[in-house]
């Protein structure tokens, strides 16, 4: 058993291996020719690795600005970042987190069983997110109920299995209209999609009986006669991303001051360094999107083999960047909104004298903001993309401060940063604190799943 869990942990820690295995199984089930199997697996693995490189480039462009601002203004607090939270848990309860790989495995199996025999036919495939969430469940179930051993394993596995089924099913309710049944969101940021979609429906006057979804270019065509040159600019997402991010990141540098920029720039001229940040960020976007396109081109057809044979009608739930090509410029607008929203939330905490100060992280801001941008835009246009991101950014900070305090993570000086933690997980931890009994909590998980089946099953039953 130890060997199996170690192998599973190794594979789960590398998302490219997970995607490669999924594509391999799907193509074999479809009895594809060996050469087609090899080509599909290689392209899927390479696509994910390109995606990861794009994410690294994005962080490399964004991180120096945040570090300069923190240093210049002497800000200290808890950074909204999942992996710092996971590392803190690993350090705090090393004897208990050893069960995490097994929790992941059993939680995934529960997700498969629920998808196979239940009405919510989604299969969660974002391995690195599964690892982070499984680690958190071990902390929460132990923190609130003192569970250990077999009890800890059983409850955490059920926790993961239900969450990895219900949240993707909820986001599928909104993604299906514009992404179809090829994939949906599988992440701990589902509420970013839900919140922004509702904002978009409100601003876009969405009518379910006569639905209209926005496409990039629609709003430009309406303004074509008045702003022809500006329209041409906004039609090129690469150009507009570069210009916008140069202004945003360059402005952040200037707030920190020339000396801080020089220190961060090293041998590079400080003016050139400031200007190049926007271009570097754009390179990351372009690389990330190319990797996403390559991965999805192999994953979706291959997953059909798994869906048809093992889990009929299942929808793969995958990582956030798969949605960005559906509205590239809107994803950037959502990020800008989330960027501003997080700082609004930060200054609200400062003004109210909050005992816990949440510092905007890097990863959750960009990726959740991008998701908010795409979902908000599809239902309500560019205004909804930006305002959806703004709302998500504020939720990550203001909801996150309550989650951090109630979950006990504040005692570790760390937290998790995605939107789900400032919303659904905040409410769930509040309930866990009140009920105080681990088996009552299991009953609650069952009730949540049943309620989700009642409310969401129609979105999977429709042809």
């Amino acid at each position: 058993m130890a060997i199996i869990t170690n192998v599973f942990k190794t594979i789960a820690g590398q998302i490219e291996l997970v995607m490669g295995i999924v594509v391999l199984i799907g193509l074999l089930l479809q009895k594809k020719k060996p050469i087609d199997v090899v080509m599909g697996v290689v392209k899927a693995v390479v696509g994910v690795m390109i995606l990861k490189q794009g994410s690294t480039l994005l962080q490399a462009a964004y991180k120096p600005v945040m570090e300069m601002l923190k240093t210049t203004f002497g800000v200290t607090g808890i950074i909204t970042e999942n992996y710092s939270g996971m590392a803190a848990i690993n350090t705090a309860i090393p004897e208990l987190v050893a069960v995490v790989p097994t929790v992941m495995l059993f939680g995934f199996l529960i997700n498969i069983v629920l998808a196979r025999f239940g009405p919510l036919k989604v299969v969660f495939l974002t391995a690195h997110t599964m690892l982070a969430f499984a680690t958190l469940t071990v902390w929460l179930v132990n923190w609130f109920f003192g569970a250990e051993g077999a009890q800890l394993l059983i409850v955490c596995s059920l926790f993961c299995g239900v969450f990895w089924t219900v949240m993707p099913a909820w986001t599928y309710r909104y993604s299906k209209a514009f992404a179809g049944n090829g994939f949906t969101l599988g992440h701990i940021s589902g509420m970013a999609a839900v919140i922004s979609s509702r904002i978009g429906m409100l601003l876009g006057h969405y009518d379910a009986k006569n639905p209209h979804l926005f496409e990039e270019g629609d709003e430009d065509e309406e303004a074509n006669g008045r702003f022809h040159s500006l329209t041409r600019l906004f039609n090129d997402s690469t150009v507009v991303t570069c210009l916008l991010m140069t202004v945003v990141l360059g402005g952040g540098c200037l707030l920190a001051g020339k000396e801080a920029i020089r220190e961060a720039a090293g041998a590079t001229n400080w003016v050139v360094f400031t200007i190049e940040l926007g271009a570097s960020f754009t390179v990351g976007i372009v690389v990330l999107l190319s990797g996403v396109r390559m991965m999805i081109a192999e994953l979706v057809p291959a997953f059909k083999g798994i869906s048809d044979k093992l889990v009929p009608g299942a929808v793969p739930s995958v990582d956030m960047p798969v949605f960005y090509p559906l509205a590239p410029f809107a994803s950037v607008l959502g990020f800008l909104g989330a960027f501003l929203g997080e700082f609004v939330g930060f200054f609200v905490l400062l003004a109210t004298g909050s005992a816990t100060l949440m510092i905007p992280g890097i990863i959750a801001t960009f990726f959740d903001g991008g998701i908010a941008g795409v979902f908000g835009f599809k239902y309500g246009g560019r205004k909804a993309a930006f305002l959806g991101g703004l709302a998500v950014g504020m939720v990550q900070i203001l909801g996150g401060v309550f989650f951090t305090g109630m979950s006990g993570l504040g005692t570790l000086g760390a937290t998790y940063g995605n939107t789900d933690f400032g919303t659904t997980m905040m409410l769930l931890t509040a309930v866990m604190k009140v009920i105080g009994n681990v088996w009552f909590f299991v009953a609650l998980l069952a009730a949540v799943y049943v309620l989700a089946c009642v409310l969401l099953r129609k979105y999977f039953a429709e042809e």
Side-chain angles (χ1 to χ4, degrees):
M1 188 65 179
I3 295 175
I4 294 175
T5 55
N6 286 335
V7 170
F8 185 79
K9 184 177 181 179
T10 300
I11 294 173
Q14 302 295 325
I15 187 174
E16 61 269 24
L17 294 181
V18 174
M19 289 303 174
I21 291 171
V22 169
V23 170
L24 174 64
I25 294 172
L27 295 177
L28 289 176
L29 287 173
Q30 295 180 69
K31 298 180 180 178
K32 293 289 186 179
K33 295 178 180 179
I35 187 64
D36 292 329
V37 174
V38 172
M39 290 176 64
V41 171
V42 169
K43 286 184 178 180
V45 170
V46 171
V48 175
M49 294 182 73
I50 293 173
L51 185 159
K52 290 172 70 174
Q53 286 299 313
S55 299
T56 301
L57 291 170
L58 287 172
Q59 294 176 48
Y62 184 33
K63 188 173 182 177
V65 181
M66 296 299 298
E67 292 299 326
M68 278 189 277
L69 291 172
K70 284 168 56 181
T71 302
T72 300
F73 294 102
V75 177
T76 58
I78 297 175
I79 300 175
T80 55
E81 215 288 303
N82 294 348
Y83 296 105
S84 62
M86 189 167 66
I89 293 171
N90 288 335
T91 301
I93 50 172
E95 70 285 354
L96 295 181
V97 294
V99 77
V100 166
T102 312
V103 168
M104 280 185 65
L105 176 59
F106 288 170
F108 181 63
L109 292 176
I110 291 170
N111 171 222
I112 293 290
V113 170
L114 293 177
R116 176 66 179 84
F117 298 104
L120 308 182
K121 298 192 175 300
V122 287
V123 177
F124 203 103
L125 295 176
T126 313
H128 61 286
T129 292
M130 295 167 75
L131 179 63
F133 189 78
T135 303
L136 177 64
T137 63
V138 170
W139 168 265
L140 292 176
V141 173
N142 176 258
W143 174 264
F144 285 108
F145 309 120
E148 296 182 357
Q151 186 183 73
L152 182 68
L153 173 61
I154 293 169
V155 176
C156 291
S157 299
L158 289 169
F159 195 167
C160 290
V162 170
F163 190 91
W164 295 338
T165 304
V166 170
M167 282 308 300
W170 197 357
T171 57
Y172 182 66
R173 177 255 186 272
Y174 297 99
S175 70
K176 184 180 180 181
F178 61 87
N181 59 5
F183 59 85
T184 192
L185 181 63
H187 207 279
I188 37 185
S189 55
M191 286 304 295
V194 173
I195 291 169
S196 195
S197 294
R198 300 308 301 185
I199 291 173
M201 287 178 171
L202 179 64
L203 296 179
H205 305 290
Y206 182 77
D207 182 1
K209 295 181 180 179
N210 186 27
H212 168 73
L213 296 172
F214 287 76
E215 298 292 336
E216 292 198 343
D218 289 350
E219 292 172 315
D220 296 325
E221 290 175 8
E222 294 176 5
N224 191 50
R226 292 171 293 166
F227 306 107
H228 180 65
S229 297
L230 188 62
T231 298
R232 288 181 57 207
L233 173 68
F234 274 70
N235 275 334
D236 193 316
S237 61
T238 300
V239 173
V240 75
T241 298
C242 184
L243 294 175
L244 283 173
M245 295 312 300
T246 298
V247 172
V248 170
L249 298 179
C253 288
L254 293 176
L255 282 175
K258 187 166 68 174
E259 291 305 316
I261 302 173
R262 282 178 170 166
E263 184 177 344
T268 306
N269 178 273
W270 71 275
V271 177
V272 174
F273 174 80
T274 304
I275 295 173
E276 284 185 342
L277 285 175
S280 299
F281 189 95
T282 308
V283 170
I285 288 283
V286 172
V287 171
L288 183 146
L289 293 181
S290 66
V292 166
R293 292 186 183 99
M294 183 181 291
M295 179 189 74
I296 290 300
E298 304 304 324
L299 175 64
V300 173
F303 191 81
K304 187 176 184 301
I306 298 175
S307 176
D308 291 345
K309 301 290 184 179
L310 301 180
V311 190
V315 179
S317 305
V318 290
D319 205 352
M320 290 183 273
V322 301
F323 284 92
Y324 301 163
L326 303 180
F329 179 53
S331 69
V332 175
L333 283 179
F335 161 68
L336 291 173
F339 183 86
L340 177 61
E342 287 206 338
F343 277 95
V344 169
F346 172 76
F347 286 113
V348 168
L349 295 181
L350 274 180
T352 56
S354 172
T356 303
L357 196 59
M358 308 296 291
I359 298 175
I362 299 169
I363 299 174
T365 309
F366 174 76
F367 288 103
D368 286 31
I371 281 294
V374 173
F375 278 77
F377 172 79
K378 285 296 181 180
Y379 286 102
R382 286 180 178 158
K383 183 184 294 184
F386 179 79
L387 292 178
L390 183 73
V392 162
M394 293 180 68
V395 164
Q396 287 181 347
I397 297 298
L398 299 178
V401 74
F402 288 104
F403 167 75
T404 302
M406 288 188 294
S407 67
L409 290 174
T411 62
L412 306 181
T415 192
Y416 279 56
N418 290 106
T419 310
D420 285 358
F421 301 110
T423 50
T424 53
M425 290 300 295
M426 177 190 71
L427 295 175
L428 196 55
T429 52
V431 174
M432 293 172 78
K433 186 175 182 178
V434 171
I435 59 177
N437 182 284
V438 70
W439 301 116
F440 287 170
F441 177 64
V442 170
L444 174 65
L445 292 175
V448 167
Y449 174 71
V450 170
L451 179 62
C453 289
V454 171
L455 296 177
L456 301 172
R457 67 187 306 154
K458 62 182 179 181
Y459 298 104
F460 295 88
E462 293 172 352
E463 293 295 329

